[in-house]
Amino acid sequence: MNPTLESLIITVLLSALPLVFILVYALVTLYLEMKVAAHIQDRVAYMRTGWHGVLQPFADILKLLQKEDTIPAAADRFLFILAPYIVFVGTYAAFAIIPFTDAYIGSNIHLGVFFLIGVSSLVVIGILMGGWASNNKWSIFGAIRSAAQMISYEIPTALAVLIVVMITGSLNLQEITKFQDGGIQNWILFGGPLPLLTKLLLLPFTLLTFLILFTASLAEVNRTPFDLPEAESELVQGFNTEYSGMRFAMFYLAEYANMFVVSAVAVALFLGGWSSPFGEFMSGPVWGAFWLIGKAMVFIFLQIWIRWTLPRLRVDQLMYTSWKVLMPFLFVCLFAVGLILVLTV
Amino acid sequence: MTESRVLPTNYVTKPEDLKTSSGRTLRTDEMIINMGPQHPSTHGVLRLEIVVDGEIIVDVIPHIGYLHRCFEKHAEHMTNYQQVIPYVDRMDYVSSMNNDLGYALAVERMLKIEVPERVEYIRVIMAELQRIASHLIAVGTFGIDSGAFTPFLYAFRDREFILDLFEMTCGARLLYNYVWVGGVSHDLPPTFIDKAKEFCKYFKPRLVDFNNLLTFNEIFVKRNAKVGVLPREVAINYACSGPMLRASGVDWDLRRDDPYSVYHKLEWDVVVGKGEVGTAGDCWDRHIVRMREMEQSVRIIEQALDAIPEGNVQAAIPKRIRPDHSEVYVRTETPRGELGFYVVSDGTASPYRVKARAPAFVNLSVLPEISRGAMLADLVLIVGSVDIVLGEVDR
């Protein structure tokens, strides 16, 4: 076989790998979300489709697949159809730089995190497009809120990432993860594998940065308490009000995939990514995937937990939180971390 | 009146205050959006025509009538005064017991009959249980309006116990037709008193939980404090009643101030909004007034359960009720406020006129006044805090 063709096939197959993962993960998380929500709310959720309703996500997807695909008469057809795919592409592209194990990363580029911040902005365009094309006032409200929100919260995210980059000296998530390899004590959350004094000095700032990153990531994926773009009680469904069937499912899938992206990135940045918390024990390529996905799932559980507990912020409070609470703290962290690194390392 | 127009805009810069260098304001065109009747948080089939400037509300025009069922005309065509009661049930369908009670009291006052004391106690117990059930819906859906879904299901879980109590008493879970003219349809079942006491014991800690989960949640307080402020004077001018009025700091409760049944024999307090986290009369006050009223209702129920005497559950009334030429207006305190029945009799067996003064309708009328200047997200909270039931607004 032609070696170019061969490598092309391998590339295509490898790049389709995350897609398989997303589909499986989405099914699991759909189920998890409903079950966790139900138990938080003192109910049992679905019990009839299979054992404890495990087949319900399949049924849901099947239903969405066979639903009539409606496009509002006044909608901008081209943009309306395009929007969900742009949202999904933006999310899917981010999977390229997530180091699942030390052996597998979609694209080991040096500007990994930078790339991530870039492509995740695509999602905003898709949402804005969907809301605008729907030609529905509620959708436009949702879309514009969403754009404002995601742009505001990308800055805290970028700053938080910058702090990690300062500590590790790399933008490549694989490198950042390797930097933290060797056990729980080496996680950047606890100051990273640096001399003890530096570690202790860094500790409060890395913890704070992590908290801020987690908060900002909730806003980036439109989850409670920052779920304003699709605030059900106010905007019906926000930007995806007019969507149905598979297009709606695409938005949904992108949202769930995005939840994983922000969790996995937070894990890779602060919690050692694929590296085992026990040093050499339970480490290796396969265990690596287990650790990354496992740690990320913990954060997805946290997101679900928060979603079903907290009320929602108002638009101005959301902006206030980003610009006047998170950012000043991050600048303090940024300055302090820089100072500590210069003085002690 | 101008007071209310200077609204909680402390968090926004008014568009007309922003000027370009050439002196032109940055005010843009207003947009009219339509909220409802199928919108998820209009609590039924209310349609709101909202004029917005960005996210800020310039005006709100409620359009009602989607649930109009000609209650008053139907009542005139009944062949018996008792037959109106099922219709009364369907007015405010989440507090049927209170509606029944109001109508029954009106007809009884017309007939000048006294009901046995046991009936009075049963009625008070039922009315207060119903008040808890209704307030649970109000605070639960208010939680949804503010984005928290879980408290709603907690509220419904607890309401279920009350509905079970109603079901064991009269067989129905929503529309009871229980309080009749001259008495009640069934006596309490033997286990009712124990079950009701058990419920009171179960329910008190649940209220604390609910407060911890939602009422004092930082985000919830931030969202609701100083939002939709209904000043004392405006509340009185618009004839608001119930928790709406009390949250604005007016100490007025018909159970105490125009006593009926046996409320005067029981010990309880009227809850008034004090503006603990913001201004008196804001959305949070309306919420906390409902929460605390539930506590008071539990107090009333506990006392009534202990004091309930034995006896008949139906007074001796004529088989066909034919009041003399007369008219009567009786008002009672339902979970939503003053429910008044104006009944006119022409001496025949069917009422000549039954006019209901629905508290939800009156409370809704103040909505435009308190929502101007708020943000779109606040409007949902304001509508939720008014606690309307469209069945009663439209009748």
Side-chain angles (χ1 to χ4, degrees):
Chain A
M1 199 190 272
N2 187 338
T4 342
L5 189 68
E6 199 176 334
S7 70
L8 186 73
I9 291 171
I10 290 171
T11 312
V12 168
L13 280 180
L14 276 181
S15 54
L17 209 60
L19 190 64
V20 178
F21 170 74
I22 290 176
L23 292 175
V24 176
Y25 147 84
L27 286 174
V28 172
T29 314
L30 262 176
Y31 182 73
L32 193 70
E33 169 117 49
M34 282 304 122
K35 277 290 177 185
V36 171
H39 286 284
I40 286 174
Q41 295 168 347
D42 214 348
R43 24 182 208 106
V44 290
Y46 19 66
M47 296 292 284
R48 309 223 171 174
T49 30
W51 180 81
H52 279 247
V54 283
L55 297 178
Q56 188 64 37
F58 294 97
D60 284 345
I61 288 174
L62 212 65
K63 174 219 161 206
L64 280 174
L65 273 171
Q66 52 181 300
K67 237 182 139 171
E68 188 195 347
D69 181 29
T70 47
I71 298 177
D76 185 329
R77 286 184 70 91
F78 178 68
L79 292 183
F80 189 85
I81 293 168
L82 190 64
Y85 300 103
I86 292 206
V87 171
F88 188 73
V89 163
T91 310
Y92 189 58
F95 272 82
I97 50 94
I98 292 176
F100 278 92
T101 74
D102 52 357
Y104 177 82
I105 179 165
S107 169
N108 200 7
I109 47 174
H110 288 299
L111 288 174
V113 204
F114 191 66
F115 172 79
L116 172 89
I117 292 166
V119 290
S120 62
S121 305
L122 260 183
V123 176
V124 186
I125 296 172
I127 286 176
L128 205 54
M129 205 184 254
W132 180 259
S134 298
N135 204 359
N136 174 323
K137 287 169 184 172
W138 297 109
S139 299
I140 293 174
F141 261 116
I144 288 173
R145 274 187 185 187
S146 187
Q149 172 178 337
M150 289 170 109
I151 290 166
S152 310
Y153 276 86
E154 251 161 37
I155 300 166
T157 314
L159 280 175
V161 169
L162 199 57
I163 288 170
V164 178
V165 172
M166 277 164 62
I167 297 172
T168 57
S170 170
L171 278 166
N172 184 329
L173 274 178
Q174 192 69 286
E175 296 289 319
I176 292 173
T177 309
K178 278 193 187 129
F179 183 79
Q180 305 173 63
D181 200 6
I184 193 165
Q185 73 282 355
N186 286 349
W187 291 0
I188 289 179
L189 182 64
F190 306 116
L194 297 166
L196 190 65
L197 177 68
T198 323
K199 245 173 113 82
L200 285 177
L201 286 173
L202 279 179
L203 187 64
F205 299 106
T206 45
L207 281 175
L208 186 61
T209 313
F210 178 71
L211 277 179
I212 293 174
L213 179 71
F214 182 66
T215 316
S217 68
L218 283 179
E220 281 234 14
V221 293
N222 301 336
R223 296 286 289 191
T224 311
F226 308 110
D227 59 340
L228 288 97
E230 43 203 281
E232 189 188 81
S233 55
E234 297 149 30
L235 303 181
V236 196
Q237 263 295 327
F239 61 88
N240 59 24
T241 306
E242 298 286 356
Y243 282 88
S244 68
M246 251 350 256
R247 286 189 238 288
F248 174 73
M250 284 303 265
F251 274 127
Y252 219 73
L253 192 64
E255 189 190 315
Y256 272 80
N258 217 347
M259 273 165 71
F260 183 82
V261 170
V262 293
S263 303
V265 169
V267 164
L269 287 175
F270 282 93
L271 300 175
W274 41 255
S275 71
S276 159
F278 314 114
E280 284 302 302
F281 181 61
M282 290 172 86
S283 65
V286 181
W287 279 115
F290 166 78
W291 284 119
L292 181 97
I293 295 169
K295 289 170 188 170
M297 286 312 271
V298 170
F299 284 102
I300 284 160
F301 173 74
L302 264 179
Q303 289 180 8
I304 295 172
W305 187 3
I306 289 172
R307 171 165 180 191
W308 296 106
T309 310
L310 293 181
R312 185 186 305 121
L313 288 170
R314 198 174 48 211
V315 176
D316 55 313
Q317 292 165 344
L318 178 93
M319 293 296 158
Y320 182 91
T321 316
S322 172
W323 294 98
K324 293 194 177 170
V325 180
L326 300 188
M327 301 271 271
F329 274 115
L330 270 176
F331 279 122
V332 170
C333 287
L334 194 67
F335 180 71
V337 169
L339 202 66
I340 293 164
L341 288 175
V342 169
L343 292 182
T344 62
V345 180
Chain B
M1 299 296 285
T2 46
E3 179 74 17
S4 67
R5 281 166 208 249
V6 187
L7 264 168
T9 46
N10 49 359
Y11 50 83
V12 284
T13 314
K14 284 195 201 129
E16 53 264 37
D17 295 343
L18 293 170
K19 292 220 169 78
T20 58
S21 51
S22 58
R24 279 172 51 208
T25 60
L26 288 181
R27 192 181 178 83
T28 47
D29 268 354
E30 284 150 3
M31 177 162 83
I32 296 174
I33 48 176
N34 187 44
M35 183 168 161
Q38 280 101 4
H39 192 279
S41 47
T42 51
H43 294 239
V45 279
L46 172 69
R47 180 179 153 227
L48 296 172
E49 194 182 326
I50 315 168
V51 185
V52 288
D53 181 11
E55 285 244 7
I56 300 158
I57 291 162
V58 178
D59 203 5
V60 180
I61 304 146
H63 293 274
I64 59 169
Y66 290 89
L67 214 56
H68 181 58
R69 290 152 301 167
C70 312
F71 157 71
E72 289 169 12
K73 201 69 194 165
H74 271 304
E76 288 168 23
H77 286 263
M78 292 298 110
T79 52
N80 190 328
Y81 276 84
Q82 300 271 32
Q83 286 181 348
V84 180
I85 292 175
Y87 283 93
V88 175
D89 267 340
R90 281 153 181 80
M91 273 172 49
D92 178 355
Y93 40 78
V94 299
S95 60
S96 297
M97 285 286 185
N98 300 79
N99 301 356
D100 290 358
L101 178 59
Y103 176 77
L105 283 175
V107 180
E108 280 161 15
R109 198 165 295 177
M110 219 171 188
L111 291 167
K112 299 184 189 64
I113 53 170
E114 288 285 320
V115 293
E117 193 159 10
R118 183 175 175 80
V119 171
E120 298 280 29
Y121 275 97
I122 293 176
R123 283 177 176 182
V124 166
I125 293 168
M126 291 306 172
E128 293 310 308
L129 281 174
Q130 182 75 85
R131 189 181 311 276
I132 296 176
S134 170
H135 278 350
L136 278 176
I137 294 186
V139 294
T141 48
F142 192 52
I144 294 191
D145 290 338
S146 57
F149 197 84
T150 302
F152 171 72
L153 286 146
Y154 287 173
F156 263 61
R157 177 194 63 195
D158 298 341
R159 179 173 173 265
E160 206 62 20
F161 290 99
I162 298 175
L163 297 192
D164 286 345
L165 285 173
F166 288 156
E167 191 183 6
M168 67 190 277
T169 309
C170 63
R173 292 171 66 84
L174 187 69
L175 307 165
Y176 311 104
N177 188 14
Y178 180 64
V179 181
W180 284 356
V181 177
V184 291
S185 71
H186 303 74
D187 197 357
L188 295 177
T191 52
F192 181 90
I193 297 205
D194 290 338
K195 286 259 167 76
K197 279 182 178 161
E198 211 175 281
F199 167 76
C200 291
K201 214 173 132 201
Y202 159 85
F203 186 61
K204 277 187 268 182
R206 296 287 92 77
L207 272 176
V208 179
D209 282 353
F210 198 97
N211 275 337
N212 289 339
L213 179 64
L214 185 70
T215 314
F216 296 106
N217 181 305
E218 188 71 21
I219 299 175
F220 184 79
V221 171
K222 280 245 164 70
R223 281 295 306 276
N224 288 296
K226 294 182 186 168
V227 166
V229 181
L230 174 65
R232 194 188 153 91
E233 293 73 30
V234 179
I236 295 170
N237 285 347
Y238 272 81
C240 293
S241 54
M244 253 322 242
L245 181 72
R246 288 192 282 277
S248 298
V250 184
D251 194 0
W252 177 256
D253 192 318
L254 292 172
R255 288 174 290 172
R256 185 197 61 195
D257 299 315
D258 186 8
Y260 54 94
S261 211
V262 286
Y263 281 109
H264 57 282
K265 291 185 188 165
L266 306 167
E267 243 181 67
W268 55 283
D269 302 317
V270 175
V271 185
V272 178
K274 297 187 218 55
E276 280 151 76
V277 296
T279 324
D282 57 14
C283 285
W284 193 85
D285 269 357
R286 292 196 272 278
H287 175 79
I288 195 74
V289 162
R290 291 201 179 92
M291 292 304 296
R292 291 189 179 141
E293 262 180 28
M294 283 196 268
E295 282 168 35
Q296 296 302 324
S297 290
V298 173
R299 258 178 88 187
I300 296 175
I301 294 165
E302 280 180 323
Q303 291 171 49
L305 284 171
D306 286 332
I308 187 166
E310 289 298 320
N312 261 334
V313 290
Q314 188 70 41
I317 53 162
K319 207 160 187 189
R320 280 182 86 64
I321 302 168
R322 286 173 196 275
D324 304 329
H325 270 279
S326 57
E327 56 179 40
V328 66
Y329 178 77
V330 171
R331 49 186 185 171
T332 54
E333 185 80 23
T334 74
R336 266 150 213 91
E338 176 184 331
L339 173 69
F341 279 104
Y342 173 64
V343 187
V344 182
S345 162
D346 57 356
T348 62
S350 43
Y352 178 74
R353 175 93 171 91
V354 177
K355 154 85 183 137
R357 183 241 187 241
F361 173 71
V362 180
N363 289 349
L364 180 63
S365 67
V366 81
L367 181 71
E369 198 65 45
I370 58 179
S371 348
R372 282 185 201 117
M375 294 180 94
L376 197 60
D378 294 335
L379 178 67
V380 173
L381 286 174
I382 295 169
V383 173
S385 73
V386 174
D387 185 24
I388 43 169
V389 167
L390 270 300
E392 191 181 49
V393 173
D394 297 338
R395 299 192 293 289

